[in-house]
Amino acid sequence: MHSRAWIRRWGWVISFISVWLMSTEAIAAERVVWRYRLLQGSLSVDELTTLAETGEVSPALRAYFRLARRNPRQIRRVLNQEVTVNPRLLDRVLNSPLGNGAIDQVSEAIHTPSRQADRQAMRSALVLSASDDSRITLIEVMQNYPTEEIYVDGDRLADAYRQIEGLQNRLGELLNGGGLF
């Protein structure tokens, strides 16, 4: 069987199994180490999840937002902004050259502590985030990131979000008659 045909037929199954195995290991981001302009800090994913879900701002978050001159409501909106995707198609695209390029760009803003396996970690976080409700949010990506710490470069975060939106648009084009290979 030709390798591309094999990948189209079985690649999503293998990716699903690998993502499932990674998720059963219970490794998920617990801390976000962030950098924004000259500021740098560390926050728990739980604090950010509480902000995203309830709007409640912890004292540590409040101090960081004050220093960064950011409105917590604006950050909450960014954490919860949704990108709708078909999980199976997302997996196919993320395992293509187009998807690898998008993941590499997103990984400039959101990455592993060691900068090793950024592509695999981001792919896993995106697929896991979309798997239960066909939507991806930044807070879900952070919650599903397969390392204990996730590094976020706030200066590049807007570019990363645009990459995810662009990926959503490309997925829509594929659904409307385009081809992946």
Side-chain angles (χ1 to χ4, degrees):
M1 180 181 293
H2 191 269
S3 65
R4 285 188 177 183
W6 187 89
I7 289 170
R8 273 184 273 191
R9 178 169 287 166
W10 297 105
W12 74 271
V13 173
I14 292 168
S15 293
F16 175 79
I17 291 168
S18 65
V19 167
W20 179 76
L21 288 172
M22 287 179 76
S23 69
T24 60
E25 293 176 8
I27 296 175
E30 294 176 16
R31 302 221 44 90
V32 175
V33 178
W34 59 271
R35 185 176 63 233
Y36 180 71
R37 297 190 179 146
L38 298 176
L39 303 172
Q40 185 169 333
S42 175
L43 299 165
S44 75
V45 172
D46 288 341
E47 284 179 289
L48 291 169
T49 298
T50 299
L51 171 65
E53 291 176 355
T54 69
E56 184 180 326
V57 182
S58 71
L61 279 177
R62 188 174 314 285
Y64 285 134
F65 291 152
R66 207 173 296 128
L67 285 171
R69 297 185 178 151
R70 290 289 169 216
N71 182 330
R73 287 187 300 268
Q74 184 181 38
I75 302 299
R76 182 180 185 205
R77 190 172 37 253
V78 169
L79 289 171
N80 287 311
Q81 194 160 5
E82 296 179 350
V83 175
T84 303
V85 295
N86 174 309
R88 186 172 170 195
L89 184 58
L90 174 68
D91 183 63
R92 285 183 58 204
V93 171
L94 292 179
N95 284 294
S96 72
L98 171 71
N100 286 333
I103 289 171
D104 290 345
Q105 295 229 343
V106 171
S107 293
E108 290 297 316
I110 302 170
H111 55 84
T112 64
S114 67
R115 298 299 309 240
Q116 301 294 313
D118 286 345
R119 184 183 289 171
Q120 295 83 350
M122 182 56 67
R123 182 182 295 119
S124 173
L126 289 168
V127 171
L128 283 171
S129 296
S131 66
D132 62 341
D133 61 1
S134 300
R135 290 178 279 185
I136 299 171
T137 63
L138 181 57
I139 193 65
E140 286 178 325
V141 169
M142 290 179 184
Q143 291 166 337
N144 290 314
Y145 207 79
T147 60
E148 289 183 18
E149 288 185 330
I150 178 174
Y151 280 64
V152 177
D153 184 338
D155 296 323
R156 295 182 176 177
L157 202 52
D159 292 335
Y161 185 76
R162 281 193 288 279
Q163 286 297 320
I164 292 172
E165 277 186 321
L167 190 57
Q168 177 188 24
N169 294 336
R170 289 182 200 111
L171 288 172
E173 291 170 8
L174 290 171
L175 288 174
N176 293 323
L180 193 66
F181 296 98

